[in-house]
């Protein structure tokens, strides 16, 4: 008897040390029971304006159902449900479900297409699957109907069916006591022992960083071990990923482009080659555009006006480039060239600003003629130097030697 009492005391101590969360089974049963009860009560109909009782819309019905079951969900509509439900102890099980038939679905699963519609699985019996949902009012609209269910279909249960194009997500309440907890405006991740996880955290397909001391989920720009990372904020979600998740690849933040390493998420600087294109990121990680002087050399990186027809915005230009109606020549390394240049067998002269000269030009006290738009392309490329022969220009005959020097001007 004493041994039994001792064991019970130990179990009681362990239970009281765990987070005070209801079991997953009870949460699901309570949420489904409440939602089905609303569907069976004609006092409740569909409305998107007065949506938190007595009428509901598709999202407020499910959000309220799980709140009534004790889950702290900070969601307001289908567009932010994914992020909020994941943070509140749900997991994305879409890949485990055959959406066409509903195989793999369980009671309480949330079917979600962000920005469109959501339903909840209310019962699974063999191959027979039933869902509960709020659909549309008696006028075929979303607002302005009478309070209560006028058609007995505004909020109802029905057989499961896949949406056109398939449900985007299937979310399931986790059986584990661990998961995301929101306290005030801050998110924490409770581990299986009930404590706050700290440091790097992998949750599903996303990577998060929790403050090393408090465990609060970090957002926005963060410096960790001397390296900069960006974690999504509320402005970045839910279309781009869950709030707090680490960003990788190209990211437009506050109107500027950054490139974050595709594996580690570290913000990169300096020269970077991405998908075969070269870019330059300054010391703050910002992608540069337009004319830039780097290590004493001039380069041109495509702007929004140049992209995407000529190449991605911010990518380095090479070869002939017409910029602000002037021609420049950038070598294969992207460096802007000046002076005499031979390109495809033709000689050109680029002034100290890199601009290709045309027409009559006096260079080092000698006269040269470079083809203009009216001379090209039949007689040669625009800007290319005349040489070896006699040419009539503006009604007068001029002679040019092999070096392109005019001998009678």
């Amino acid at each position: 008897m004493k041994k039994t009492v001792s064991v019970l005391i130990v179990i009681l101590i362990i239970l009281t040390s765990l987070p005070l969360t209801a079991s997953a089974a009870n949460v699901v049963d309570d949420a489904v029971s409440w939602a089905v009860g609303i569907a069976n009560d004609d006092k409740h109909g569909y409305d998107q304006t007065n949506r938190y009782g007595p009428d509901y819309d598709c999202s407020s019905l499910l959000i309220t159902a799980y709140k009534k079951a004790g889950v702290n969900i900070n969601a307001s509509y289908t567009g932010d449900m994914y992020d909020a439900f994941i943070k509140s102890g749900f997991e994305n099980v879409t890949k485990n479900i055959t959406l066409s038939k509903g195989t793999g679905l369980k009671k309480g699963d949330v079917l979600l297409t962000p920005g469109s519609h959501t339903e909840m699985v209310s019962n699974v019996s063999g191959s027979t699957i039933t869902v509960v949902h709020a659909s549309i009012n008696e006028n075929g609209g979303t607002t302005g109907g009478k309070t209560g269910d006028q058609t007995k279909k505004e909020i109802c249960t029905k057989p499961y069916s896949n949406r056109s194009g398939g449900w985007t997500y299937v979310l399931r309440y986790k059986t584990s006591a661990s998961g995301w907890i929101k306290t005030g405006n801050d998110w924490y991740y409770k581990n299986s022992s009930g404590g706050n996880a700290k440091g790097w955290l992998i949750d599903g397909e996303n990577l998060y960083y929790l403050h090393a001391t408090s465990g609060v989920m970090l957002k926005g720009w963060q410096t960790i071990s001397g390296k900069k990372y960006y974690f999504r904020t509320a402005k970045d979600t839910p279309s781009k990923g869950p709030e707090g998740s680490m960003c990788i690849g190209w990211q437009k933040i506050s109107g500027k482009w950054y490139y974050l390493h595709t594996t580690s998420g570290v913000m990169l600087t300096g020269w970077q080659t991405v998908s075969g294109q070269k870019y330059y990121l300054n010391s703050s990680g910002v992608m540069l555009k337009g004319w830039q002087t780097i290590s004493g050399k001039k380069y041109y990186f495509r702007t929004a006006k140049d992209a995407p027809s000529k190449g991605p915005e911010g990518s380095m230009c090479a070869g002939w480039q017409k910029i602000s109606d002037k021609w420049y020549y950038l070598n294969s390394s992207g460096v802007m060239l000046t002076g005499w240049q031979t390109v495809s067998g033709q000689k050109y002269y680029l002034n100290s600003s890199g601009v290709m000269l045309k027409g009559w030009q006096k260079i080092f006290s000698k006269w040269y003629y470079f083809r203009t738009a009216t001379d090209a392309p039949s007689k040669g490329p625009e800007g290319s130097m005349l040489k070896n022969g006699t040419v009539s220009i503006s009604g007068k005959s001029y002679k040019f030697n092999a070096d392109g020097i005019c001998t009678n001007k």
Side-chain angles (χ1 to χ4, degrees):
M1 179 65 179
K2 289 184 180 179
K3 184 176 181 181
T4 303
V5 172
S6 299
V7 171
L8 289 173
I9 291 172
V10 170
I11 292 173
L12 180 61
I13 292 172
I14 292 173
L15 288 174
T16 55
S17 68
L18 291 174
L20 296 176
T21 55
S23 71
N26 289 342
V27 167
V28 168
D29 286 342
D30 289 350
V32 170
S33 177
W34 183 88
V36 171
I38 294 295
N40 291 335
D41 186 347
D42 290 344
K43 294 177 183 177
H44 306 282
Y46 184 95
D47 195 88
Q48 282 192 359
T49 301
N50 303 305
R51 52 196 292 267
Y52 283 100
D55 293 338
Y56 298 87
D57 64 9
C58 65
S59 57
S60 67
L61 179 70
L62 271 58
I63 292 167
T64 305
Y66 271 105
K67 281 187 174 182
K68 293 284 187 181
V71 182
N72 183 20
I73 298 175
N74 187 28
S76 59
Y77 76 119
T78 57
D80 61 12
M81 280 179 64
Y82 178 83
D83 181 34
F85 272 60
I86 290 295
K87 294 291 180 63
S88 300
F90 288 74
E91 58 185 333
N92 183 352
V93 296
T94 314
K95 64 182 179 181
N96 302 325
I97 310 299
T98 303
L99 294 173
S100 60
K101 297 181 179 180
T103 306
L105 286 174
K106 293 184 178 181
K107 182 180 179 180
D109 284 354
V110 174
L111 312 170
L112 175 64
T113 296
S116 182
H117 190 54
T118 186
E119 299 176 356
M120 180 164 63
V121 177
S122 58
N123 190 54
V124 177
S125 178
S127 60
T128 302
I129 303 169
T130 307
V131 299
V132 57
H133 78 139
S135 179
I136 206 164
N137 67 23
E138 73 274 18
N139 300 320
T142 58
T143 60
K146 294 180 180 180
T147 298
D149 196 336
Q150 308 301 314
T151 64
K152 298 188 181 298
K153 292 183 179 180
E154 294 184 35
I155 302 179
C156 65
T157 57
K158 64 167 189 172
Y160 166 82
S161 62
N162 193 18
R163 284 175 64 81
S164 176
W167 290 101
T168 306
Y169 300 112
V170 178
L171 307 180
R172 179 173 297 161
Y173 192 69
K174 295 179 183 178
T175 57
S176 170
S178 63
W180 290 101
I181 301 289
K182 190 171 188 180
T183 303
N185 294 321
D186 296 325
W187 283 101
Y188 300 83
Y189 190 89
K190 294 292 183 181
N191 54 35
S192 57
S193 63
N196 289 340
K198 297 171 184 178
W200 289 104
L201 171 73
I202 299 174
D203 186 34
E205 299 177 351
N206 295 295
L207 193 60
Y208 302 82
Y209 191 82
L210 311 174
H211 192 276
T213 304
S214 66
V216 67
M217 181 189 77
L218 300 185
K219 295 178 282 185
W221 285 112
Q222 302 292 336
T223 300
I224 303 169
S225 300
K227 297 178 180 179
K228 293 195 74 173
Y229 302 81
Y230 187 79
F231 300 89
R232 291 180 176 89
T233 65
K235 293 189 300 181
D236 305 312
T237 57
S239 60
K240 296 182 179 180
E243 184 177 2
S245 57
M246 184 189 78
C247 292
I248 60 173
W250 286 113
Q251 300 292 329
K252 194 171 188 178
I253 304 166
S254 299
K256 298 177 181 179
W257 283 101
Y258 299 81
Y259 190 74
L260 311 173
H261 193 280
T262 54
T263 303
S264 68
V266 173
M267 183 195 81
L268 301 180
T269 60
W271 287 105
Q272 302 296 332
T273 300
V274 182
S275 300
Q277 300 282 348
K278 293 193 75 173
Y279 301 83
Y280 192 83
L281 314 172
N282 69 13
S283 58
S284 298
V286 176
M287 179 191 78
L288 300 186
K289 295 179 282 185
W291 285 111
Q292 301 292 335
T293 300
I294 302 169
S295 300
K297 298 177 180 179
K298 292 196 74 172
Y299 300 81
Y300 187 79
F301 300 89
R302 291 181 176 91
T303 65
K305 293 189 299 182
D306 306 312
S309 59
K310 296 182 179 180
E313 185 176 2
S315 57
M316 184 194 78
C317 292
W320 286 111
Q321 300 293 327
K322 193 172 188 179
I323 304 166
S324 299
D325 292 324
K326 296 177 181 179
W327 284 100
Y328 299 81
Y329 189 76
L330 314 173
N331 67 15
S332 58
S333 298
V335 176
M336 184 196 80
L337 302 182
T338 60
W340 288 105
Q341 301 296 333
T342 300
V343 182
S344 300
Q346 299 284 348
K347 292 197 73 174
Y348 302 82
Y349 192 83
L350 313 173
N351 69 13
S352 58
S353 298
V355 176
M356 179 191 78
L357 300 184
K358 295 179 283 184
W360 284 109
Q361 300 292 334
K362 194 173 187 179
I363 303 170
F364 299 118
S365 302
K366 296 178 180 178
W367 284 99
Y368 300 82
Y369 187 83
F370 300 89
R371 291 181 174 90
T372 65
T374 56
D375 304 316
S378 60
K379 297 181 179 180
E382 185 177 1
S384 59
M385 183 193 76
L386 293 179
K387 64 177 182 178
N388 290 329
T390 301
V391 178
S392 178
I393 301 172
S394 300
K396 186 174 180 180
S397 182
Y398 295 93
K399 295 180 180 179
F400 297 88
N401 65 18
D403 295 320
I405 298 170
C406 180
T407 57
N408 64 331
K409 180 174 172 66

